[in-house]
Amino acid sequence: MLRELREQVLEANLEVVRRGLVLYTFGNVSGISREDNLVVIKPSGVPYERMTADDLVVTDLDGNRVWGELRPSSDLSTHLHLYRSFREIGGVVHTHSEFATAWAQARRPIPPMGTTHADYFYGPVPVTRELTPDEIDRDYVHATGAAIVECFGNRDPMEAPAALVADHGPFCWGRSPDDAVHNAVVLETIARMAMYTLSLQPAKVGVSQALLDRHYFRKHGQAATYGQQEQ
Amino acid sequence: MLRELREQVLEANLEVVRRGLVLYTFGNVSGISREDNLVVIKPSGVPYERMTADDLVVTDLDGNRVWGELRPSSDLSTHLHLYRSFREIGGVVHTHSEFATAWAQARRPIPPMGTTHADYFYGPVPVTRELTPDEIDRDYVHATGAAIVECFGNRDPMEAPAALVADHGPFCWGRSPDDAVHNAVVLETIARMAMYTLSLQPAKVGVSQALLDRHYFRKHGQAATYGQQEQ
Amino acid sequence: MLRELREQVLEANLEVVRRGLVLYTFGNVSGISREDNLVVIKPSGVPYERMTADDLVVTDLDGNRVWGELRPSSDLSTHLHLYRSFREIGGVVHTHSEFATAWAQARRPIPPMGTTHADYFYGPVPVTRELTPDEIDRDYVHATGAAIVECFGNRDPMEAPAALVADHGPFCWGRSPDDAVHNAVVLETIARMAMYTLSLQPAKVGVSQALLDRHYFRKHGQAATYGQQEQ
Amino acid sequence: MLRELREQVLEANLEVVRRGLVLYTFGNVSGISREDNLVVIKPSGVPYERMTADDLVVTDLDGNRVWGELRPSSDLSTHLHLYRSFREIGGVVHTHSEFATAWAQARRPIPPMGTTHADYFYGPVPVTRELTPDEIDRDYVHATGAAIVECFGNRDPMEAPAALVADHGPFCWGRSPDDAVHNAVVLETIARMAMYTLSLQPAKVGVSQALLDRHYFRKHGQAATYGQQEQ
């Protein structure tokens, strides 16, 4: 069942390890088949070295397991809430990558400090509000997803394909599992450079709107000019 | 004698090197057989590259060597005091891993800055008081162990399986040598992320009790839900 | 066409990857044949792993493609403006290397903090002024090159073979593509050490003129004494 | 001539590269035969990848080349002054390792922040005064050595086998070239941890005299207890 998607999700999970974004099993990637309304996700707590495409778990959008023998990632409900709320996304990644997590722990959004950021994120990477004790006690994993969606409001989630969950770490997304991992790798890099920038210039607030527009739209949308796609 | 435990302790010593926690010979791992009341520990100052299970040293809980030809690690007395005082532990690791050591040198406990910390340590990672000149002169290595035990007071040592020895570095423990090394690796990561967090938010004090409870108990105790163990 | 130069430019592009200066496709190297007034540059958005010398693009100094099938790097106009303005340079490199980019994002020139800097850069590494919204909208990539040239004024561009483009990242150059990459690697190192230096000594302003002279001229100019060239 | 020492010095030069202490050719190691009063040193500006024991240069203590075809390291006079002044040393290393260099650029001695430091350096790692313009113009390389010796005064150079040359970088020494490299590696580690410590505790001044004594003398002198040497 969904063999190709399972292979993609496995590969995306291994890529976050190769890129140094996860330690031990602290991270998970999922992908969705919008046609089937089914999600493929990493199992909980299984070492990456021996994970195969047959260890992945398939669930419906309510979290019922429809294929696989292992328990899904403990973050499943957050992934599902993002898939239900953000209709254009095809993959979700959660990591504890160190610099993005530091911003999340500091409860600060990452401002667009330069063009590397502006090429991927049209404005700050948002940070969620803290959850209430009640939310944490009742349905923590779902509430995490709801807090991410809440901090976007009317903002297009494809224009800043990541959020920092306060005191926790980043969730990233993209058109596919592979694209979501790419965004997670870039997020970690801009988080690191933004921290270094603040150490050199504590008052730095972000780039101009003109520069943000110029860089974001050269890589995204109708008028994009980067790469070979229009050749 | 204790061949299997010696193999485990050797492997755990090599793992701290592979994980980048030790430089040259600055670190040591031991394990205990509770059945035999015997401890296996790394020899002092032997390069990791040529260490074999036959180089390890077996001692009783008073530090008498009962097997092996080399001198045990110079930190033996600290390990033994931890084994005598913390009855549930099966392995002890000492490293000079750089970020945990920086906190130890700063004489600051590491507050629970986020969920990565809360998944492993139920509250701050404590730091010992400074030893007095008299303690240092008389029985320094034992006094180091005593200071660790003292800073736990009535706190369960399994709920925060590490301590920072002031001006020195971390000691970690776990149910086995392997588990102790796992905790040492995680400690270094949370030490690093906590330092980055303070650089972004100097006033950050730690996560809420609700979040600490939620994360710690999803991985520990009767109601744990992480991983595949209940499948 | 220009096969040898294309091989050199390919190799220089791969070297910036091996040196850890670029993530994904965030960087580009070009080289010029002054004899032919033709520039060889990396194509836009092609992964380094599968790039060959046949993927490189040859253009004239006005940016007309005269050989190759792919679209050139989106930074082409900046490179061309540097070649037209700085007549001694034979190669140009643009990266988003993390520490040099942090200084660019902080909009601060890098002062000569020590002899490592002085061996390569005779004085600060300059930072460009911010571009106006009008410049960004009209001809951004060319305006970037113009801002670099402007910040040099009458200063010899070979005496500080790099500039930080504000809110963007470094451009470096040299007598050849290979030499430009060498300068980019050194720039990243001095950017990193300069940031560490400021964290230890926020008031540090730079080395004495005597030390700057001594180190710069031992490696550059008629009286250079470093290396084996005069043997 | 001095084949064995040349092999040792070559190996020591390669070790500083493997340990990440040098970039390109920014570093040099030498060794001395006290019997012959001859010094073996790395040639100037030769890439490490193709250096052989036959490329090394042998000089007398006045700097006259007595064997070899290449020009010696441009830092030769500093090495020679150290050998003439510090009679117990057998090897000298100069690097631009990044954290030690940051302290040198900040013109701050590295205080003994913890036991890792105290195991190797009995007190602060000193920093030289700045050279005068006159010293820089006249005999810079020799003056660098003289400034190192000056900052030791009556202090035993074996009790702190390194100095930071202000605005330049570290020189380290030891009983052999290999031992000098070992000290250079440790110096970089303690420089890094000391910087992290200050970021967590800006007021930290150093360990107690009792702790310094305890750690330094367990590894050095008649009463040393570390390692297997007394077995």
Side-chain angles (χ1 to χ4, degrees), chain D residues 143-212:
Chain D
T144 297
I148 292 172
V149 172
E150 177 188 327
C151 81
F152 268 82
N154 289 323
R155 192 177 178 192
D156 179 351
M158 294 310 286
E159 288 190 354
L164 307 173
V165 176
D167 290 349
H168 189 150
F171 279 80
C172 303
W173 47 85
R175 299 199 181 276
S176 63
D178 182 56
D179 186 37
V181 171
H182 185 100
N183 290 335
V185 172
V186 172
L187 174 65
E188 181 65 3
T189 299
I190 65 162
R192 191 159 50 231
M193 295 200 300
M195 193 180 99
Y196 299 158
T197 302
L198 282 185
S199 107
L200 291 167
Q201 191 64 277
K204 176 74 187 272
V205 290
V207 301
S208 68
Q209 187 63 40
L211 194 63
L212 192 59

Coordinates of all heavy atoms in Angstrom, one line a residue, chain D residues 143-212:
Chain D
A143 N 61.5 39.2 17.3 CA 60.9 39.9 18.3 C 59.7 39.2 18.9 O 59.3 39.3 20.1 CB 60.5 41.3 17.8
T144 N 59.0 38.4 18.0 CA 57.9 37.6 18.5 C 58.3 36.6 19.5 O 57.7 36.4 20.5 CB 57.2 36.9 17.2 OG1 56.7 38.0 16.4 CG2 56.1 36.0 17.6
G145 N 59.4 35.9 19.2 CA 60.0 35.0 20.2 C 60.4 35.6 21.4 O 60.1 35.1 22.5
A146 N 61.0 36.8 21.3 CA 61.5 37.5 22.5 C 60.3 37.9 23.4 O 60.4 37.9 24.6 CB 62.3 38.7 22.1
A147 N 59.2 38.3 22.7 CA 58.0 38.7 23.5 C 57.4 37.6 24.3 O 56.9 37.7 25.4 CB 57.0 39.4 22.6
I148 N 57.5 36.4 23.7 CA 57.0 35.2 24.4 C 57.8 34.9 25.6 O 57.3 34.7 26.7 CB 57.0 33.9 23.4 CG1 56.0 34.1 22.3 CG2 56.8 32.7 24.2 CD1 56.1 33.0 21.2
V149 N 59.1 34.9 25.4 CA 60.1 34.6 26.5 C 59.9 35.7 27.6 O 59.8 35.4 28.8 CB 61.5 34.6 26.0 CG1 62.5 34.5 27.2 CG2 61.7 33.4 25.1
E150 N 59.7 37.0 27.2 CA 59.5 38.1 28.1 C 58.3 37.9 29.0 O 58.3 38.1 30.2 CB 59.4 39.4 27.4 CG 59.1 40.6 28.2 CD 58.9 41.8 27.3 OE1 59.5 41.9 26.2 OE2 58.0 42.7 27.7
C151 N 57.2 37.4 28.4 CA 55.9 37.3 29.2 C 56.0 36.1 30.1 O 55.1 36.0 31.0 CB 54.7 37.2 28.3 SG 54.3 35.6 27.5
F152 N 57.0 35.2 30.0 CA 57.2 34.2 31.0 C 57.9 34.6 32.2 O 57.7 34.1 33.3 CB 57.8 32.9 30.4 CG 56.8 32.0 29.9 CD1 56.2 32.2 28.6 CD2 56.3 30.9 30.6 CE1 55.2 31.4 28.2 CE2 55.3 30.1 30.2 CZ 54.7 30.3 28.9
G153 N 58.8 35.6 32.0 CA 59.6 36.0 33.2 C 60.3 34.9 33.9 O 61.0 34.1 33.2
N154 N 60.1 34.7 35.2 CA 60.7 33.6 35.9 C 59.8 32.4 35.9 O 60.2 31.4 36.5 CB 61.0 34.0 37.3 CG 62.1 35.0 37.4 OD1 63.1 34.9 36.6 ND2 62.0 36.0 38.2
R155 N 58.7 32.4 35.2 CA 57.8 31.3 35.3 C 58.4 30.1 34.4 O 59.0 30.4 33.4 CB 56.5 31.7 34.6 CG 55.3 30.8 34.8 CD 54.1 31.4 34.2 NE 52.9 30.5 34.3 CZ 51.8 30.7 33.6 NH1 51.6 31.7 32.9 NH2 50.8 29.8 33.8
D156 N 58.2 28.9 34.9 CA 58.7 27.7 34.2 C 57.9 27.5 32.9 O 56.7 27.2 33.0 CB 58.6 26.5 35.2 CG 59.1 25.2 34.5 OD1 59.4 25.2 33.3 OD2 59.2 24.2 35.2
P157 N 58.6 27.6 31.8 CA 57.8 27.4 30.5 C 57.2 26.0 30.3 O 56.3 25.8 29.5 CB 58.8 27.7 29.4 CG 60.2 27.5 30.1 CD 60.0 27.8 31.5
M158 N 57.6 25.0 31.1 CA 57.0 23.7 31.0 C 55.7 23.6 31.8 O 54.9 22.7 31.7 CB 58.0 22.6 31.5 CG 59.2 22.4 30.6 SD 58.8 22.3 28.9 CE 58.2 20.6 28.8
E159 N 55.5 24.6 32.7 CA 54.2 24.6 33.5 C 53.1 25.3 32.7 O 51.9 25.3 33.2 CB 54.5 25.3 34.8 CG 55.3 24.4 35.8 CD 55.4 25.0 37.2 OE1 54.8 26.1 37.4 OE2 55.9 24.3 38.0
A160 N 53.4 25.9 31.6 CA 52.3 26.4 30.8 C 52.8 26.4 29.4 O 53.3 27.5 28.9 CB 51.9 27.9 31.2
P161 N 52.8 25.3 28.7 CA 53.6 25.1 27.5 C 52.9 25.8 26.3 O 52.8 25.1 25.2 CB 53.7 23.6 27.3 CG 52.4 23.1 28.0 CD 52.1 24.0 29.1
A162 N 52.5 27.0 26.4 CA 51.9 27.8 25.3 C 51.9 29.2 25.6 O 51.9 29.6 26.8 CB 50.5 27.3 25.0
A163 N 51.9 30.1 24.6 CA 51.7 31.5 24.8 C 50.9 32.0 23.6 O 51.0 31.4 22.5 CB 53.0 32.2 24.8
L164 N 50.1 33.0 23.8 CA 49.3 33.6 22.8 C 50.0 34.9 22.3 O 50.3 35.7 23.2 CB 47.9 34.0 23.3 CG 47.1 32.9 24.0 CD1 45.8 33.4 24.6 CD2 46.8 31.8 23.0
V165 N 50.4 34.9 21.1 CA 51.1 36.1 20.6 C 49.9 37.1 20.2 O 49.1 36.8 19.4 CB 52.0 35.8 19.4 CG1 52.6 37.1 18.8 CG2 53.1 34.9 19.8
A166 N 50.0 38.3 20.9 CA 48.9 39.3 20.7 C 48.7 39.6 19.2 O 49.6 39.8 18.5 CB 49.3 40.6 21.4
D167 N 47.4 39.6 18.8 CA 47.0 39.9 17.4 C 47.5 38.9 16.4 O 47.4 39.1 15.2 CB 47.4 41.3 17.0 CG 46.7 42.4 17.7 OD1 45.7 42.0 18.4 OD2 47.0 43.5 17.6
H168 N 48.0 37.7 16.9 CA 48.5 36.8 15.9 C 48.0 35.4 16.2 O 47.0 35.0 15.5 CB 50.1 36.8 16.1 CG 50.8 36.0 15.0 ND1 52.1 36.3 14.6 CD2 50.5 34.9 14.4 CE1 52.4 35.4 13.7 NE2 51.5 34.6 13.5
G169 N 48.5 34.6 17.2 CA 47.9 33.3 17.4 C 48.9 32.6 18.4 O 49.8 33.1 18.9
P170 N 48.6 31.3 18.6 CA 49.3 30.5 19.6 C 50.6 30.0 19.1 O 50.8 29.5 18.0 CB 48.4 29.4 20.0 CG 47.6 29.2 18.8 CD 47.4 30.5 18.1
F171 N 51.6 29.9 20.0 CA 52.8 29.1 19.9 C 52.7 28.1 21.1 O 52.5 28.5 22.2 CB 54.1 29.9 20.0 CG 54.5 30.5 18.7 CD1 53.9 31.7 18.3 CD2 55.4 29.9 17.8 CE1 54.2 32.3 17.0 CE2 55.8 30.5 16.6 CZ 55.2 31.7 16.2
C172 N 53.0 26.8 20.8 CA 53.0 25.8 21.9 C 54.3 25.0 21.8 O 54.9 25.0 20.8 CB 51.8 24.8 21.6 SG 50.2 25.6 21.5
W173 N 54.6 24.4 22.9 CA 55.8 23.6 22.9 C 55.6 22.3 23.8 O 54.6 22.2 24.4 CB 57.0 24.4 23.3 CG 56.8 25.2 24.6 CD1 56.9 24.8 25.8 CD2 56.4 26.6 24.6 NE1 56.6 25.9 26.7 CE2 56.3 27.0 25.9 CE3 56.1 27.5 23.6 CZ2 55.9 28.2 26.4 CZ3 55.7 28.8 24.0 CH2 55.6 29.2 25.4
G174 N 56.7 21.5 23.8 CA 56.6 20.3 24.6 C 57.9 19.6 24.5 O 58.9 20.1 23.9
R175 N 58.0 18.4 25.1 CA 59.3 17.7 25.2 C 59.7 17.1 23.8 O 60.9 16.8 23.6 CB 59.2 16.5 26.2 CG 58.9 17.1 27.6 CD 59.2 16.2 28.8 NE 58.8 16.9 30.0 CZ 59.6 17.8 30.7 NH1 60.8 18.0 30.2 NH2 59.2 18.4 31.8
S176 N 58.7 17.0 23.0 CA 59.0 16.5 21.6 C 58.0 17.2 20.7 O 57.1 17.8 21.1 CB 58.7 15.0 21.6 OG 57.4 14.7 21.8
P177 N 58.2 17.1 19.4 CA 57.3 17.6 18.4 C 55.9 17.1 18.6 O 54.9 17.8 18.6 CB 57.8 17.2 17.0 CG 59.3 17.0 17.2 CD 59.4 16.5 18.7
D178 N 55.8 15.8 18.9 CA 54.5 15.2 19.1 C 53.8 15.7 20.4 O 52.6 16.0 20.4 CB 54.8 13.7 19.3 CG 53.5 12.9 19.5 OD1 52.6 12.9 18.6 OD2 53.4 12.1 20.5
D179 N 54.6 15.9 21.4 CA 54.0 16.4 22.7 C 53.6 17.9 22.5 O 52.5 18.3 23.0 CB 55.2 16.3 23.7 CG 54.7 16.7 25.1 OD1 53.6 16.4 25.5 OD2 55.5 17.3 25.9
A180 N 54.3 18.6 21.7 CA 53.9 20.0 21.4 C 52.6 20.1 20.7 O 51.7 20.9 21.0 CB 55.0 20.7 20.6
V181 N 52.4 19.2 19.8 CA 51.1 19.1 19.0 C 50.0 18.8 20.0 O 48.9 19.3 19.9 CB 51.2 18.2 17.8 CG1 49.8 17.9 17.2 CG2 52.2 18.7 16.8
H182 N 50.2 17.8 20.8 CA 49.2 17.4 21.8 C 48.8 18.6 22.6 O 47.6 18.9 22.8 CB 49.8 16.3 22.7 CG 48.9 15.7 23.7 ND1 48.3 14.5 23.6 CD2 48.5 16.2 24.9 CE1 47.5 14.3 24.6 NE2 47.6 15.3 25.5
N183 N 49.8 19.4 23.1 CA 49.5 20.6 23.8 C 48.7 21.6 23.0 O 47.8 22.3 23.5 CB 50.7 21.3 24.4 CG 51.4 20.4 25.5 OD1 50.7 19.6 26.1 ND2 52.7 20.5 25.6
A184 N 49.0 21.7 21.7 CA 48.3 22.7 20.8 C 46.8 22.3 20.7 O 45.9 23.1 20.6 CB 49.0 22.7 19.5
V185 N 46.6 20.9 20.6 CA 45.2 20.4 20.5 C 44.4 20.7 21.8 O 43.3 21.2 21.7 CB 45.2 18.9 20.2 CG1 43.8 18.4 20.3 CG2 45.8 18.6 18.8
V186 N 45.0 20.5 22.9 CA 44.4 20.7 24.2 C 44.1 22.2 24.3 O 43.1 22.7 24.8 CB 45.2 20.2 25.4 CG1 44.6 20.6 26.7 CG2 45.3 18.7 25.3
L187 N 45.1 23.1 24.0 CA 44.9 24.5 24.1 C 43.7 25.0 23.3 O 42.9 25.8 23.8 CB 46.2 25.2 23.5 CG 46.1 26.7 23.4 CD1 45.9 27.4 24.8 CD2 47.2 27.4 22.7
E188 N 43.5 24.5 22.1 CA 42.4 24.9 21.3 C 41.1 24.5 22.0 O 40.1 25.3 22.1 CB 42.4 24.3 19.9 CG 41.3 24.7 19.0 CD 41.2 26.1 18.6 OE1 42.1 26.9 19.0 OE2 40.2 26.5 17.9
T189 N 41.0 23.4 22.6 CA 39.8 22.9 23.3 C 39.6 23.8 24.6 O 38.4 24.2 24.8 CB 40.0 21.4 23.8 OG1 40.2 20.7 22.6 CG2 38.8 20.9 24.5
I190 N 40.6 24.1 25.3 CA 40.3 24.9 26.5 C 40.0 26.3 26.2 O 39.2 27.0 26.9 CB 41.5 24.8 27.6 CG1 42.8 25.4 27.0 CG2 41.7 23.4 28.1 CD1 43.7 25.8 28.1
A191 N 40.6 26.8 25.0 CA 40.2 28.1 24.6 C 38.7 28.2 24.2 O 38.0 29.2 24.5 CB 41.1 28.5 23.4
R192 N 38.3 27.2 23.6 CA 36.8 27.1 23.2 C 35.9 27.0 24.4 O 35.0 27.8 24.5 CB 36.6 25.9 22.3 CG 35.3 25.8 21.6 CD 35.4 24.9 20.4 NE 36.0 23.6 20.7 CZ 36.9 23.1 20.0 NH1 37.5 23.6 18.9 NH2 37.4 21.9 20.3
M193 N 36.3 26.1 25.3 CA 35.4 26.0 26.5 C 35.5 27.2 27.4 O 34.5 27.6 28.0 CB 35.9 24.7 27.3 CG 35.6 23.5 26.5 SD 35.6 21.9 27.5 CE 37.2 22.0 28.3
A194 N 36.6 27.9 27.4 CA 36.7 29.1 28.3 C 35.8 30.2 27.7 O 35.2 31.0 28.4 CB 38.2 29.6 28.3
M195 N 35.8 30.3 26.3 CA 34.9 31.3 25.7 C 33.4 31.0 26.0 O 32.7 31.9 26.4 CB 35.1 31.4 24.2 CG 34.5 32.6 23.6 SD 34.8 32.7 21.8 CE 33.2 32.1 21.2
Y196 N 33.0 29.8 25.9 CA 31.7 29.4 26.2 C 31.4 29.7 27.7 O 30.3 30.1 28.1 CB 31.4 27.9 26.0 CG 31.6 27.4 24.6 CD1 31.9 26.0 24.3 CD2 31.6 28.2 23.5 CE1 32.1 25.6 23.1 CE2 31.8 27.8 22.2 CZ 32.0 26.4 22.0 OH 32.2 25.9 20.7
T197 N 32.3 29.4 28.6 CA 32.1 29.7 30.0 C 31.9 31.1 30.3 O 31.0 31.5 31.0 CB 33.4 29.2 30.8 OG1 33.6 27.8 30.5 CG2 33.2 29.4 32.3
L198 N 32.7 32.0 29.6 CA 32.4 33.4 29.8 C 31.1 33.9 29.3 O 30.5 34.8 29.9 CB 33.5 34.2 29.1 CG 34.9 34.3 29.8 CD1 35.8 35.3 29.0 CD2 34.7 34.8 31.2
S199 N 30.6 33.2 28.3 CA 29.3 33.6 27.8 C 28.2 33.2 28.8 O 27.2 33.9 28.8 CB 29.0 33.0 26.4 OG 28.1 32.0 26.4
L200 N 28.4 32.2 29.6 CA 27.5 31.8 30.6 C 27.7 32.5 31.9 O 26.8 32.6 32.7 CB 27.5 30.3 30.8 CG 27.1 29.4 29.7 CD1 27.5 28.0 29.8 CD2 25.5 29.5 29.5
Q201 N 28.9 32.9 32.2 CA 29.3 33.5 33.5 C 30.4 34.5 33.2 O 31.6 34.2 33.5 CB 29.8 32.4 34.4 CG 30.0 32.7 35.8 CD 28.6 33.1 36.5 OE1 28.2 34.3 36.4 NE2 28.0 32.1 37.1
P202 N 30.0 35.8 32.8 CA 31.1 36.7 32.5 C 32.0 37.0 33.6 O 33.2 37.5 33.3 CB 30.3 38.0 32.1 CG 28.9 37.4 31.7 CD 28.7 36.2 32.5
A203 N 31.6 36.8 34.8 CA 32.5 37.2 36.0 C 33.4 36.0 36.4 O 34.2 36.2 37.3 CB 31.6 37.6 37.2
K204 N 33.4 34.9 35.7 CA 34.2 33.8 36.2 C 35.7 34.1 36.1 O 36.1 34.6 35.0 CB 33.9 32.5 35.3 CG 34.8 31.3 35.5 CD 34.4 30.6 36.8 CE 35.4 29.4 37.1 NZ 35.1 28.2 36.6
V205 N 36.4 33.9 37.1 CA 37.8 34.3 37.1 C 38.8 33.1 37.1 O 40.0 33.3 36.8 CB 38.2 35.2 38.3 CG1 37.6 36.5 38.2 CG2 37.8 34.5 39.6
G206 N 38.4 31.9 37.4 CA 39.3 30.8 37.4 C 39.1 29.9 38.6 O 38.4 30.3 39.6
V207 N 39.8 28.8 38.6 CA 39.6 27.8 39.7 C 40.4 28.2 40.9 O 41.3 29.0 40.8 CB 40.0 26.4 39.2 CG1 39.1 26.0 38.0 CG2 41.5 26.3 38.9
S208 N 40.2 27.5 42.0 CA 40.9 27.7 43.2 C 42.4 27.2 43.1 O 42.6 26.3 42.3 CB 40.2 27.0 44.4 OG 40.4 25.6 44.2
Q209 N 43.3 27.7 43.9 CA 44.6 27.2 43.9 C 44.7 25.7 44.2 O 45.5 25.0 43.6 CB 45.5 28.1 44.9 CG 47.0 27.8 44.8 CD 47.6 28.1 43.5 OE1 47.2 29.1 42.9 NE2 48.4 27.2 42.9
A210 N 43.8 25.3 45.2 CA 43.8 23.9 45.6 C 43.5 23.0 44.4 O 44.1 22.0 44.2 CB 42.9 23.7 46.7
L211 N 42.5 23.4 43.6 CA 42.1 22.6 42.5 C 43.1 22.6 41.4 O 43.4 21.5 40.8 CB 40.7 23.0 41.9 CG 40.0 22.1 41.0 CD1 39.6 20.8 41.7 CD2 38.8 22.7 40.4
L212 N 43.7 23.7 41.2 CA 44.8 23.8 40.2 C 46.0 22.9 40.6 O 46.5 22.1 39.8 CB 45.3 25.3 40.2 CG 46.2 25.7 39.0 CD1 45.6 25.5 37.7 CD2 46.5 27.2 39.2

